[in-house]
Amino acid sequence: MLGTLPPRDLWLLPLVSFLTLVLLLVGAEAMSRLVWPYQMENECRQPDKTLGFRYRSNCKATMKSVEGPWYASEYNECGYRSPASCGRVSAGTRRIALIGSSISEGYLVEYPNTIAARLQSELQAMCAAPIDIQNLGGTGYSGQYLVLRMEEALRLAPDAVLLVVLPFDVHDQIANSATFAASAGSEGTAQPRLDGSLRQSLISWSRESRAVTMAQHYLFQDPATYVPLILRSGDNTDFLRPPFTPAWEARLRVFDGLIGQLADRARAAGVPFMLAFVPNQVQAILGATHSLPAGIDTRALPDALAEIARAHGADFADTSASLAAAPKPGLLYYQVDGHPSGKGQPLIARSIAQTYTSLTHGPFSNCNVSTARPGTTP
Amino acid sequence: MIVPSLQFLAFALCAALVFNVSTRVYWRQAVLLVVNFLFLLSFSRVPSAFIPFAAFLGWGFLVLRTTRDRPASHLFVVMLISVVVVFLWLKRYSFIPHAAFLRFPYLTIGLSYVFFRMLHLIIDNHQGAVETKVSGLSFINYSLNFTSLTSGPIQRYEDYRRMELECLPLNLAVVGVALERVILGYFKVAVVSMLLSLFHQQVIAALVVDQTLWGRTLNAALIASIYPVYLYFNFSGYVDVVIGVARLFRIELPENFDRPFSSQNFIAFWSRWHITLSNWLKTYVYNPLMMAGMSRIQSPALAPYVSVFAFFVTFFLVGLWHGPTTEFIFFGVLQGGGVAANKLYQITVQNLLGRKEYRALSGNPYYQALCRGLTFSWFAFTLFWFWSTWSQIAGIYRSAGVLAATLSWLVIVAASTFALALMEIVHRSTPTYTWQGAPIVESRYVRTAWTTVLAVVVLGITVLLDSPAPDIVYKTF
């Protein structure tokens, strides 16, 4: 069976193969980490007994995701990611308190391109009046943490409260509710438990590998590659295939309860409350195509959320059309991470501003939209 | 089960293990029969889907047996034509009335290649070139050989039978080389052709958007020139996989590609691209046409022009074999026309310059480089009628504009002349670097390392995308 190979090749060839494998993996990983550094730890984050965590007052953290640029996260005296003070506003200034998770916070995005900053500039232009946005958003704030954050927001005497959500925020409702109940007083949300199997170990390794992330980032830029792949992720994208599965029905019920609590508090304080929906990457891409894959309906979730908002007397903004209208909607997001990038968040902000000014009620209904200057290109 | 998939590889490796439990002929024949049927079953679970295929095989075997001992040529011709007609009917060629087709769905996977194998066997058998009677088992295993069923290569029966009886050696070195071939094939299909396909789609989309002359010229040039390269990696990658797998079954399949873009003329191109198909057509179409033509031509001066005609018909059939649409008919006209024009050019220039001078010109490296560029460019041009429709071609032409479309062909000729010349220089210089007396690239240690790199990249891309590799273009035919 050995054929014409010398006996030493029985161990030498496998060794060559093994060493090549090690060199390749180590080399690829090392090169990737050199080219794509990241700093994901927010130094300003501190534990909080009630909220799990909050940001330190007057703090500045420098951060970078694998896919994005370096950016600074600066927090005012209240620990909100806002350049303006959280104290009383001057007369004539309209204040929006922005609550929500990472999307509201402007996670991975430099401040000038965040929803908060761009919404401020859009509304200032449309309303020809000063606007103050207090950004109470924070990565991981969802479920009952949001209720606590809403109460904090209302103490700022805002003219409006805005909650921005991605499908991911609805998906995580039940898990986060359990986390809130189980870990009140500790920091952050629980990580999904891995069962220690080989497959889970490989998945965990691939998530941590910079080379894998780098390869995915470039491969996922092409919708023809990304869309079929992500549509196979089962439960995560089942909201695109109505009727909703029992799991998604349950999540929507929990979310309905949450919006009810938030809307009740806002109503009691006499403050208008708006729920803004941001589609995820695959939704934005599919929203721009003329023919959807069989069984796919990108409107199912936003329509359900609009109904929830209406039922509780809240306003609803759907930013889907704005993102789908962009030339390459998929590139408005970080390919692997999935959050809207500094290219996508300005479009989201403009859409929300347009919704605010189109309402017949609320603090921005009297804004003269026709005199607004065009928003700047991200 | 598609060939460029991990499922196929796992299936083949398990089957090879069972196959090699014994070297006895009957064991190997029986295992291969079961494996061939299992492979076919992976395409359909509906019994009725297999009936037409089985009937076609049965009819072919009957014709084979009937025409072996019967010298009457008219019976042979009639029975041979019946096989061709049944094939055309099962493939639903558009000149056959729709009402005549079967109403239920049935399997046609690999039918074209089975047809070629069957015809070759019937013809050679009738002419006495097949020494012994072909048994049913050998006939089925030869026709349905799962390693070459979907897209070839077309192996000759005599070679298959010899390997069936002789039992080629299978040792560690052979297994290593076979696996190396398989991994190379997967890399070509799963990585290179996949990336080229994505790039091709992107430049087509970009052509509509880009308004500058240079932008449209570049995009048009890329649209035309990427596809032949993509097709090469897609098809030759598949061939690498099946050759490697077949070797584990002690079968040496013939090569189907031999660095086709190194060809200096279109005739030579077709002796390096889809080699087994062009060899089959040369043997059973070109040669008989040449013999028939030469027997009728009195003037020796006209003899070379017989080959022009024979080339045209042969390679027109190459195009027509791909499909019954007007696009493929025109594709055939371009293939036949290209080869015929090439032959005419050779005859004309040789007459003008003289044989010695023509040989000197053909040996000039700059002339050779230009010929390679022109050959590639012509092939890229003809492929438009292979991968697109008349309306798509018109759309691309409209988007590019007359000037950009024209300039793009100049760009393709120039770029391919330069690139292919560079490729030739690199190819000729690689054996220069030696280690222990042999070219370093052929060292088994270098090859092991390189194959490991390819395997990791293939696995990585496949896992990252969590999807199978793109299917083989030629599975459609």
Side-chain angles (χ1 to χ4, degrees), chain A residues 153-171:
Chain A
L154 291 171
R155 289 195 286 274
L156 297 173
D159 295 288
V161 177
L162 172 65
L163 167 65
V164 183
V165 296
L166 282 160
F168 174 79
D169 293 304
V170 182
H171 178 273

Side-chain angles (χ1 to χ4, degrees), chain B residues 200-278:
Chain B
H200 194 239
Q201 288 163 27
Q202 282 173 7
V203 291
I204 290 174
L207 181 68
V208 180
V209 173
D210 206 320
Q211 295 301 315
T212 64
L213 176 63
W214 171 242
R216 284 182 281 117
T217 302
L218 185 63
N219 282 319
L222 285 171
I223 289 170
S225 53
I226 288 173
Y227 193 84
V229 182
Y230 154 75
L231 186 61
Y232 169 73
F233 280 103
N234 180 273
F235 198 6
S236 70
Y238 154 84
V239 171
D240 287 332
V241 170
V242 298
I243 286 178
V245 165
R247 192 59 188 85
L248 298 176
F249 287 81
R250 303 177 189 260
I251 298 171
E252 276 181 354
L253 289 175
E255 295 290 343
N256 231 1
F257 293 90
D258 179 17
R259 300 176 57 244
F261 299 131
S262 294
S263 309
Q264 292 171 27
N265 58 68
F266 207 50
I267 297 172
F269 177 84
W270 275 105
S271 65
R272 290 168 171 252
W273 177 281
H274 208 169
I275 297 170
T276 57
L277 175 66
S278 53

Side-chain angles (χ1 to χ4, degrees), chain A residues 4-242:
Chain A
T4 57
L5 296 175
R8 66 162 190 261
D9 278 356
L10 266 180
W11 59 268
L12 192 52
L13 288 176
L15 182 64
V16 166
S17 190
F18 176 73
L19 289 174
T20 305
L21 182 66
V22 169
L23 201 69
L24 193 64
L25 294 178
V26 170
E29 191 63 26
M31 188 63 69
S32 302
R33 284 173 189 252
L34 198 65
V35 173
W36 286 33
Y38 84 117
Q39 167 58 289
M40 297 295 280
E41 205 177 303
N42 190 326
E43 299 147 346
C44 297
R45 195 169 161 121
Q46 62 184 8
D48 183 271
K49 283 182 190 166
T50 326
L51 284 173
F53 79 93
R54 60 165 66 245
Y55 295 113
R56 263 200 298 275
S57 309
N58 301 311
C59 185
K60 180 179 175 181
T62 305
M63 296 180 65
K64 183 187 182 303
S65 76
V66 180
E67 297 176 87
W70 288 99
Y71 70 98
S73 267
E74 294 188 61
Y75 304 93
N76 62 16
E77 73 273 28
C78 291
Y80 307 148
R81 193 184 179 196
S82 304
S85 164
C86 58
R88 199 183 289 271
V89 295
S90 57
T93 301
R94 285 171 250 195
R95 171 174 275 177
I96 297 176
L98 173 60
I99 62 173
S101 65
S102 51
I103 177 75
S104 296
E105 182 194 345
Y107 181 59
L108 306 180
V109 177
E110 58 276 19
Y111 188 77
N113 286 327
T114 60
I115 292 172
R118 289 297 184 121
L119 182 61
Q120 181 181 16
S121 60
E122 292 282 350
L123 285 173
Q124 275 177 179
M126 288 176 180
C127 301
I131 305 289
D132 172 64
I133 307 245
Q134 291 297 312
N135 188 350
L136 288 85
T139 306
Y141 283 153
S142 64
Q144 291 303 307
Y145 291 124
L146 282 178
V147 178
L148 296 172
R149 211 57 168 164
M150 168 65 99
E151 290 168 353
E152 191 174 334
L154 291 171
R155 289 195 286 274
L156 297 173
D159 295 288
V161 177
L162 172 65
L163 167 65
V164 183
V165 296
L166 282 160
F168 174 79
D169 293 304
V170 182
H171 178 273
D172 265 22
Q173 284 312 304
I174 291 178
N176 285 343
S177 297
T179 303
F180 179 83
S183 61
S186 67
E187 183 184 338
T189 53
Q191 292 297 317
R193 284 175 51 235
L194 300 179
D195 60 13
S197 67
L198 178 63
R199 183 170 180 267
Q200 289 289 353
S201 302
L202 284 171
I203 291 171
S204 175
W205 170 80
S206 70
R207 282 182 189 154
E208 311 242 346
S209 164
R210 207 71 53 81
V212 170
T213 304
M214 197 171 163
Q216 286 178 323
H217 172 83
Y218 287 108
L219 285 170
F220 291 175
Q221 283 181 353
D222 179 44
T225 303
Y226 177 75
V227 171
L229 181 63
I230 205 68
L231 287 180
R232 286 153 57 151
S233 59
D235 179 57
N236 285 339
T237 50
D238 274 344
F239 67 89
L240 290 166
R241 300 180 197 91

Side-chain angles (χ1 to χ4, degrees), chain A residues 1 9 17 21 222 229 232, chain B residues 172 198 444-445 452 465-466:
Chain A
M1 184 67 177
D9 278 356
S17 190
L21 182 66
D222 179 44
L229 181 63
R232 286 153 57 151
Chain B
L172 203 59
L198 288 177
R444 57 185 177 277
Y445 305 112
T452 305
L465 294 183
D466 192 28

Side-chain angles (χ1 to χ4, degrees), chain B residues 9 177-187 237 240-245 248:
Chain B
L9 185 60
V177 170
L179 290 177
E180 177 192 33
R181 196 80 191 254
V182 169
I183 290 169
L184 175 66
Y186 275 112
F187 177 75
D240 287 332
V241 170
V242 298
I243 286 178
V245 165
L248 298 176

